Amino acid sequence: MAQIIDGKALAAQVLERTAKDVADMIAGGGVAPGLAVILVGNDPASEVYVGRKIAQCRKAGILSLEHRLPADTPQADVLALIDQFNADPAVHGILVQLPLPKHINAALVLDRIDPAKDVDGFHPVNVGRLSTGTGGLVPCTPLGVMLLLDSVIDDYRGLNVVVIGKSNIVGKPVSMLLLEREATVTVTHIETRDLPDVARKADIIVAAAGAPHLVRGYWVKPGAVVIDVGINRVTDHDGKTRLIGDCATHELDHAKAVTPVPGGVGPMTIACLLSNTVLAAKRSSPDFQ
Ligand code: NAD
């Protein structure tokens, strides 16, 4: 039977550590870390994500400054708000909830964020730092994936990793983090040939395709670790919707360890957003070494 890696429990530990860091910062005479969250429009899923992020910030003692803007907000106004947060010393992290409405150029908006406050790690400066292994802020989901993997793997050197999906927010950054640990990383995508054969060689599979139950039991070699990043909403025969991952976890008894969906990567993403905010706040302090 494969070990189920409990993302909720691990996320609770990260949140506890983060709350302690915040308390220590304040006890040491510092200010509470501040996270500005910008939500443009009223996409229901984005509303839920932003609500969760803000609730967790409060629990950890992080100040959250929430800015909900109407869907027709001009791009220039969003950029001006980012400029304002970039200049505000009480704001240590800036998060623009994606997706943005179509009339707003997301790349332009993300590029406007001060890289030192870019707690999502999407700014080209942070992307460059990640790929050169020179620090910076790392995107939250890949960071969460690494913490989940660290709970079952001590040494990545020489391990074969297959990453399924090459997006800028998951596939590419997680590949960079695994390369830094000296794993042999194969990044795959929709055009990859014989993906089941490629996957079968992996000691670790990170599935981030957004394709329900793509990874079947016969894709996974015995003893492999499988991290399921996918979140797919499916409707059952009885009309009820539920979330499933990219991996047919019920076929993975022969794996060493797997993450569930929900309750695996998802909770880690928010926990890592908070820890990134605290990191950004610490780095902004003159005492930071
Ligand atoms: P994306 O759509 O930007 O990229 C998907 C990638 O997967 C692409 O590179 C594509 O080529 C590849 N792909 C798609 N179908 C494939 C297939 N059948 N075979 C091989 N490769 C395939 O997606 P994303 O933003 O990286 O998200 C991926 C999944 O992860 C989604 O389900 C998303 O909801 C989920 N996600 C979860 C979290 C979390 O916090 N748990 C965070 C981000 C994304």
Side-chain angles (χ1 to χ4, degrees), residues 115-139:
K117 299 188 180 190
D118 169 40
V119 283
D120 257 340
F122 295 155
H123 192 285
V125 166
N126 284 318
V127 175
R129 285 188 181 142
L130 177 59
S131 49
T132 49
T134 50
L137 289 161
V138 175

Side-chain angles (χ1 to χ4, degrees), residues 65-80:
L65 306 143
E66 196 182 340
H67 276 257
R68 288 171 186 261
L69 304 172
D72 59 355
T73 304
Q75 177 172 288
D77 290 8
V78 178
L79 295 175

Side-chain angles (χ1 to χ4, degrees), residues 141 165-167 169-170 189-190 195 208-210 214 229-231 265-266 269:
T141 300
K166 60 167 185 69
S167 74
I169 64 166
V170 189
H189 47 79
I190 191 81
L195 184 52
L214 174 71
V229 185
I231 302 176
V265 176
T269 298

Side-chain angles (χ1 to χ4, degrees), residues 190-255:
I190 191 81
E191 299 295 344
T192 298
R193 293 195 192 136
D194 302 324
L195 184 52
D197 275 353
V198 177
R200 249 194 310 272
K201 297 187 180 69
D203 303 301
I204 299 171
I205 294 176
V206 178
H213 286 182
L214 174 71
V215 178
R216 304 289 307 274
Y218 70 95
W219 291 37
V220 176
K221 85 171 177 189
V225 175
V226 180
I227 303 292
D228 192 349
V229 185
I231 302 176
N232 308 287
R233 195 173 291 278
V234 294
T235 307
D236 285 333
H237 299 302
D238 57 5
K240 283 193 183 143
T241 58
R242 65 193 169 100
L243 297 181
I244 65 168
D246 285 357
C247 303
T249 314
H250 57 283
E251 296 179 5
L252 300 184
D253 280 353
H254 58 292

